[in-house]
């Protein structure tokens, strides 16, 4: 038996306003809450029990898990106050059944990857590591945890979100999945916030613990920003990213009840939610349209996210925009490059030609 802890308690600040009502891992990606892709991948890799470490909007997870049948035992742990990544792992400990020498998988709740999860656990056992980290190379590592290793794979440092050029010693980053020997979790301080990245990993390295990195160059994406959120959904729909929760791949995914006018074009790996409507002549390209939203005739929606029940007026153009749940955009607006509309907001016809670098 292998157990896992899935860290899903963050506020998803960079995905506001979508995360005002829904925590990031519960937002629909290629038709199901993102967390379902991760849970089913873990299940298929042999994980039999998973603890969801929740904090922000824990109620939304609880309600979903009560009714879901994901073929794996899911337990929910909820922090009263957010305890940070390390604090959340420690808080999940009483829910784990593993022995003190057993490996426990930890997943960040917003990472889509093609990692060989079972292979990582095997590597952890074979190398007798205290902690094994999944690492991946990226072009620009500054938004991540930098993890230099020696020739044997032994981790030499952990530099979370480097501030100076001098700290950028590698482009190999922490890819957000770890194997901890359970007794190492026991030693994380309880009852206070702890960052696994800023406190636990540097502390383990300072005391000479064996922390091993495994570099995997396959598919990897952190869905923390609007553009990467759209990218993750598109890659799943097109079949570029692996998930057992996606059963058929193609140019578009239409959920039950979605209706698309015969001359509308839904392309580029777009996902159209339940009972959503795409009107005559509209173009939806590389976008995510949540349940019950309406894209009116002649509108163009590219690389954007349209929240549940939102309305995009006739002829309106969205490109790289995020529209909150229930917002109503009148006809002939244009929202580009990082524009965000808050839930329930109304924009009059032709009132906005907006572009920003946000
Ligand atoms: N339960 C709980 N409680 N979960 C939390 C808390 C908390 O207080 N704070 C954050 N999390 C969860 C988030 O929900 C997310 O799934 C995960 O921890 C990581 O938080 P992010 O906010 O997404 O961090 P990040 O993307 O800036 O950086 C992390 O991920 C990178 C890879 O994607 C770090 O681990 C980096 O080192 C790493 O490179
Ligand atoms: Mg993240």
């Amino acid at each position: 038996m292998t157990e896992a802890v899935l860290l899903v308690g963050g506020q998803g600040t960079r995905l506001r306003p979508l995360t005002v009502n829904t925590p990031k891992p519960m937002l629909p990606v290629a038709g199901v809450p993102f967390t379902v892709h991760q849970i089913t991948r873990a299940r298929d890799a042999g994980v039999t029990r998973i603890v969801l470490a929740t904090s922000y909007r824990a109620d939304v997870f609880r309600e979903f898990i009560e009714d879901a049948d994901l073929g794996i035992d899911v337990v929910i742990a909820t922090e009263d106050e957010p305890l940070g990544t390390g604090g959340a792992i420690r808080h999940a400990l009483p829910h784990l059944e593993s022995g003190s020498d057993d490996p426990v998988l930890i997943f960040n709740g917003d990472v889509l990857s093609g990692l060989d999860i079972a292979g990582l656990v095997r590597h952890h056992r074979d190398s007798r590591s205290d902690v094994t980290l999944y690492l991946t190379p990226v072009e620009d590592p500054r938004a991540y945890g930098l993890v230099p290793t020696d020739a044997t794979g032994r981790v030499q440092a952990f530099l979370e979100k480097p501030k100076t050029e001098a700290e950028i010693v590698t482009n190999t980053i922490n890819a957000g999945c770890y194997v901890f020997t359970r007794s190492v979790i026991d030693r994380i301080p309880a009852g206070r916030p702890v960052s696994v990245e800023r406190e636990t990993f540097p502390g383990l390295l300072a005391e000479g613990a064996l922390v091993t990195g495994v570099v995997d160059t396959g598919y990897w994406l952190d869905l923390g920003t609007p553009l990467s959120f759209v990218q993750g959904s598109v890659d799943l729909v097109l079949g570029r990213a692996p998930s057992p929760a996606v059963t058929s791949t193609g140019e578009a995914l239409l959920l039950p009840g979605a209706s698309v006018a015969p001359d509308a074009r839904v392309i580029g790996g777009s996902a159209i939610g339940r009972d959503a409507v795409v009107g005559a002549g509209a173009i939806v390209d590389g976008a995510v349209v949540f349940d019950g939203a309406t894209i009116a005739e002649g509108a163009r929606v590219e690389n954007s996210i349209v929240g549940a029940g939102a309305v995009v007026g006739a002829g309106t153009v969205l490109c790289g925009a995020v529209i909150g749940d229930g917002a109503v955009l009148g006809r002939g607006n244009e929202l580009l490059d990082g524009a965000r509309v808050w839930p329930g907001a109304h924009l009059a016809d032709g009132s906005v030609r907006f572009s920003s670098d946000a």
Side-chain angles (χ1 to χ4, degrees), residues 14 24 108-111 143-144 161 220 222-225:
R14 289 168 295 171
K24 175 164 62 175
N108 281 359
D110 61 350
V111 168
Y144 304 106
K161 309 218 168 69
W220 182 84
D222 173 317
L223 276 73
T225 66

Side-chain angles (χ1 to χ4, degrees), residues 21-314:
N21 300 317
T22 309
K24 175 164 62 175
M26 286 299 297
L27 291 171
V29 176
V32 293
F34 180 69
T35 203
V36 172
H37 299 292
Q38 282 193 306
I39 293 173
T40 54
R41 280 202 89 242
R43 176 200 68 198
D44 287 6
V47 174
T48 48
R49 200 156 176 280
I50 201 155
V51 180
L52 279 190
T54 63
S55 169
Y56 178 66
R57 297 305 311 255
D59 53 311
V60 181
F61 291 97
R62 204 170 288 280
E63 206 173 297
F64 175 73
I65 291 299
E66 265 169 21
D67 300 334
D69 180 11
L70 300 173
I72 179 173
D73 195 5
V74 181
V75 181
I76 296 187
T78 302
E79 299 140 48
D80 294 334
E81 297 294 330
L83 291 173
T85 46
I89 297 168
R90 179 62 182 80
H91 182 263
L93 181 64
H95 299 277
L96 295 174
E97 294 172 352
S98 299
S100 65
D101 292 334
D102 289 338
V104 176
L105 275 156
I106 315 288
F107 296 98
N108 281 359
D110 61 350
V111 168
L112 183 60
S113 87
L115 172 70
D116 172 6
I117 298 170
L120 192 76
V121 176
R122 262 197 314 276
H123 198 288
H124 179 78
R125 285 188 202 274
D126 294 349
S127 61
R128 300 178 167 273
S129 298
D130 295 300
V131 177
T132 302
L133 310 182
Y134 162 34
L135 309 178
T136 196
V138 293
E139 239 164 68
D140 181 357
R142 284 174 298 178
Y144 304 106
L146 274 55
V147 187
T149 53
D150 70 12
T152 67
R154 188 167 187 146
V155 171
Q156 294 174 307
F158 197 106
L159 304 155
E160 182 68 11
K161 309 218 168 69
K163 295 246 167 10
T164 63
E165 287 295 314
E167 285 179 303
I168 304 178
V169 293
T170 178
N171 69 341
T172 302
I173 61 146
N174 165 28
C177 171
Y178 327 117
V179 187
F180 271 68
T181 297
R182 205 220 67 198
S183 58
V184 178
I185 299 178
D186 300 359
R187 289 163 45 213
I188 299 175
R192 69 159 170 90
V194 177
S195 161
V196 80
E197 297 90 349
R198 296 179 196 276
E199 183 175 341
T200 309
F201 293 144
L204 285 167
L205 293 171
E207 69 185 38
L210 180 55
V211 181
T212 304
V214 174
V215 179
D216 184 301
T217 55
Y219 185 93
W220 182 84
L221 190 68
D222 173 317
L223 276 73
T225 66
L227 279 182
S228 64
F229 182 86
V230 171
Q231 189 65 53
S233 184
V234 161
D235 287 345
L236 284 163
V237 171
L238 292 175
R240 289 184 196 145
S243 167
V246 176
T247 45
S248 72
T249 59
E251 274 294 295
L253 174 70
L254 307 186
L255 291 188
S259 85
V260 175
D263 64 345
R265 294 176 65 208
V266 179
I267 54 176
S270 295
I272 310 294
R274 284 190 172 69
D275 302 323
V277 177
V278 180
I283 298 173
V284 180
D285 187 358
V288 186
V289 175
F290 289 4
D291 293 351
T294 300
I295 313 299
E297 62 274 10
R300 186 153 58 86
V301 178
E302 285 175 16
N303 300 328
S304 297
I305 310 164
V306 178
V311 176
V312 177

